[in-house]
Every structure is written in C-alpha cells, then in structure tokens.
Amino acid sequence: MKRILIVGAGGQIGSELISLLRKLYGNSNVVGADVRECKDLGQDGPFVVLNALDAQSYGYTVNKYRIDTIFNLVALLSAVGEKDPQLAWNINMGALMNSLDVARQYECKLFTPSSIGAFGPQSPKDRTPQDTIMRPTTIYGVCKVTGELLSDYYHLRYGVDTRSVRFPGIISNVTMPGGGTTDYAVEIYYDAVKDKKFVCPVSPNVYMDMMYMPDALNACVQLMEADPARLKHRNGFNITAMSFTPEIIAAEIRKHIPEFEIAYEIDPTKESIARSWPNSLDDTCAREEWGWSPKWTLTDTTEDMLYVIGKKYEQGLF
Ligand code: SER
C-alpha cells in the first residue's frame, strides 16, 4: 500500500481509518472520498467529493491520484436497509461493482468489509465457523454474501487482489454509526454519560459479536499488508473481539456509573435481525492466515469509551 483511496471516508470506520493511514503512509498518500463534503478530512491530506456509483468519476479519481489500494467503505447498514431494500442493493452493490471494475482496470488492491450480517438463522450460532451455511435474511446480508462471492470471483477470474473481513458491531467515539443493528452498543455509552439511562432496542439476552475501533482499524491494515501466499481465504475472514448482550454491557457500565439504568423498547426489525445473526464467530482462520489478534476487551473498551465520551460531554460536543 503506497497510494490509498478511502471511499466512504466520512462514515463510522472511514473517518478514523483515514487518520491512521495518513499517520502510517503519509498525509499526501491517502485520499479521502465521500458523497458529501467532509471539511475535517481535507485538512491534513487530499479529499474529493465522489459518488461511488458514478463509475467515470471513480476511475478518474483513481487515475489522477495514481492509487494502488482502495478501501470501499460505502454501505447502507442492516436496519435501514430493510426500510428500502432496492436502494440498499443499488448502493451496496453499485459501489462494490464500480470498486471491483476500477481495481481491475488500474491494478489496485481492494478492501471491502463484509459483516456478521452475512450469516443467517440457519448458520451455527456459537463459534460460527469460517466456512459454513450463510443464507442471510436481510438485504444487507444478501449484499454482503454476494459481495464476498463477487470479490472472490474477481480475484479468480481477473487476478484482482481483493480482501475482506466479516466485521462485527464496531464500537467507536468519533463518528456515530447509522442504521445498523449493533448501533445500540455505541449509543448506550453516549446515553450513559448524558442521561445515566438507556432505552435499548434489542432484548436483554441477545448476544452479538463486537469490537472496539482500534482493533477494527488494525484488522484493515494487517490484512492488506499480509503476505498473499499465506491467505487461503480472502473474502471475508471472520474476526471478533468480544461477544455480549445488552445486559452484560449495562453491567459493565454500572461499574463506572452505579446509577445507570437500562430499559427495553424492542424495535421489531432490529430484534429479528439480531436474533438471525451469530452469537459469536470463530476467527481461527484470520488468526492463522494473517496473525489477527484483538487487544480490546469489553472491560477496557468500556473504560476508554466512558472516558472519551465524558470529555466530549464536558466540552459540550453533544
Ligand atoms: N454494524 C452492522 C449493522 O448492524 C453489522 O455489520 O448493520
């Protein structure tokens, strides 16, 4: 990776990945792109407004900046996808197809996140294996499985260096996620700091995999830097750092804010999506093939999230 383009740089992952990559590879070598103007991202390095569905502008940008690696982070997430499945398909698959074609044309490496959402109710629930039955029941999951297959196909057929991980819910404190089923695990910290209570949209006992942002960013870099000769899989690797229920995260928060309360107002869409996903993934292949090893547990994540969000609240930032 020498000249990098992040498409969807204004989102939850992109807005933090861009800072890390600029630190590692040099500010001028990491171009941010988003469908909206993002003033902050243009301060330290190049930024372009780019609609990933516009193949011509996408190719123009890759050519202009002599890009060799693309991170395609464009996505409509699981819960919001169910409101307009056709739109979710058009955005998620349109951005991926253009990324694959541009990567093929300009000989770029391509990273596209897959998700725990690629699994479905028939997948084994606990320690869900790398290679197993998928059959997701959301349009988001259908896009992710299709995306994994298409990315493998472009590798086999055209030799494009496509790589991907199946991300769990990502906990972070810079840019809010939007429209995902795992978003509650971010929102709970903000509400805990501000109101000392949280109304949770999924049931107290539903397990989902999660990960703190620093581990997610390291996964992106580590996988893209991995020796391709070691990769038996490509799209996408199971990775996880922790698995918990709303009850468990609430208990962890209470260790810092004893008066914290959690109530439940179940959102039927999020609830049924959460129940269709694994409780926990088996990430052995990622560990063996490219050295995946997460650092952050729920305990340290909670301590850090409450500290950072507490500071933001004191400064009147939300
Ligand atoms: N965070 C995503 C969602 O909840 C899962 O990949 O939709």
Side-chain angles (χ1 to χ4, degrees):
M1 285 199 278
K2 291 201 173 64
R3 305 268 310 163
I4 302 168
L5 175 67
I6 304 176
V7 186
Q12 186 196 11
I13 300 175
S15 60
E16 297 201 50
L17 183 64
I18 196 164
S19 314
L20 176 67
L21 294 181
R22 283 181 173 164
K23 228 178 268 159
L24 295 175
Y25 299 93
N27 285 352
S28 59
N29 293 323
V30 181
V31 181
D34 202 277
V35 71
R36 289 165 295 120
E37 181 65 62
C38 304
K39 291 238 157 52
D40 296 355
L41 306 185
Q43 272 165 12
D44 303 326
F47 176 83
V48 293
V49 173
L50 172 70
N51 181 349
L53 302 185
D54 174 351
Q56 215 178 343
S57 305
Y58 201 154
Y60 173 83
T61 305
V62 166
N63 187 34
K64 177 176 171 195
Y65 289 97
R66 292 174 289 109
I67 297 299
D68 63 33
T69 304
I70 301 170
F71 286 84
N72 164 35
L73 304 181
V74 175
L76 220 74
L77 295 183
S78 58
V80 77
E82 291 310 299
K83 295 208 168 85
D84 191 342
Q86 290 73 22
L87 180 72
W89 174 269
N90 288 341
I91 291 179
N92 295 351
M93 299 315 298
L96 176 64
M97 271 313 284
N98 286 344
S99 301
L100 286 165
D101 283 330
V102 166
R104 179 186 168 207
Q105 190 180 349
Y106 293 98
E107 296 180 8
C108 301
K109 289 161 81 159
L110 175 63
F111 177 93
T112 305
S114 185
S115 161
I116 50 172
F119 294 106
Q122 297 169 55
S123 309
K125 278 267 171 240
D126 297 300
R127 289 195 57 77
T128 309
Q130 173 69 40
D131 300 308
T132 188
I133 189 162
M134 312 288 289
R135 305 203 71 79
T137 48
T138 61
I139 190 67
Y140 177 72
V142 170
C143 292
K144 289 301 181 193
V145 172
T146 314
E148 290 187 12
L149 294 173
L150 259 179
S151 300
D152 277 347
Y153 180 78
Y154 266 64
H155 174 64
L156 281 171
R157 177 77 201 260
Y158 304 116
V160 180
D161 189 347
T162 53
R163 305 182 187 193
S164 133
V165 294
R166 293 178 184 139
F167 273 133
I170 295 175
I171 299 172
S172 68
N173 51 46
V174 174
T175 304
M176 293 301 270
T181 304
T182 56
D183 294 8
Y184 91 84
V186 176
E187 291 157 358
I188 194 170
Y189 289 111
Y190 281 84
D191 286 8
V193 166
K194 192 161 156 264
D195 304 325
K196 305 200 175 348
K197 60 171 192 267
F198 177 63
V199 180
C200 186
V202 298
S203 293
N205 56 354
V206 174
Y207 277 90
M208 283 186 281
D209 276 300
M210 303 279 176
M211 178 180 296
Y212 198 27
M213 185 62 94
D215 277 332
L217 300 180
N218 281 338
C220 297
V221 175
Q222 229 184 324
L223 175 58
M224 292 312 274
E225 290 291 6
D227 174 1
R230 285 182 65 197
L231 301 181
K232 294 192 201 92
H233 296 83
R234 278 186 168 270
N235 304 284
F237 284 93
N238 281 5
I239 57 170
T240 184
M242 55 189 105
S243 165
F244 57 74
T245 63
E247 221 167 28
I248 293 172
I249 188 174
E252 201 60 46
I253 291 173
R254 244 176 250 123
K255 291 182 188 164
H256 303 265
I257 306 173
E259 62 276 40
F260 176 67
E261 281 173 27
I262 187 164
Y264 295 89
E265 257 172 44
I266 302 306
D267 173 324
T269 306
K270 290 188 178 178
E271 175 78 3
S272 88
I273 295 174
R275 287 191 181 280
S276 78
W277 288 353
N279 294 336
S280 66
L281 299 187
D282 177 350
D283 59 6
T284 310
C285 291
R287 289 172 185 269
E288 287 177 359
E289 293 176 38
W290 49 277
W292 163 245
S293 170
K295 308 262 176 310
W296 290 81
T297 62
L298 177 59
T299 304
D300 343 300
T301 301
T302 300
E303 207 178 300
D304 200 56
M305 282 292 282
L306 292 176
Y307 174 76
V308 175
I309 294 169
K311 286 261 165 255
K312 279 192 173 193
Y313 190 59
E314 276 167 28
Q315 291 163 15
L317 294 176
F318 73 95

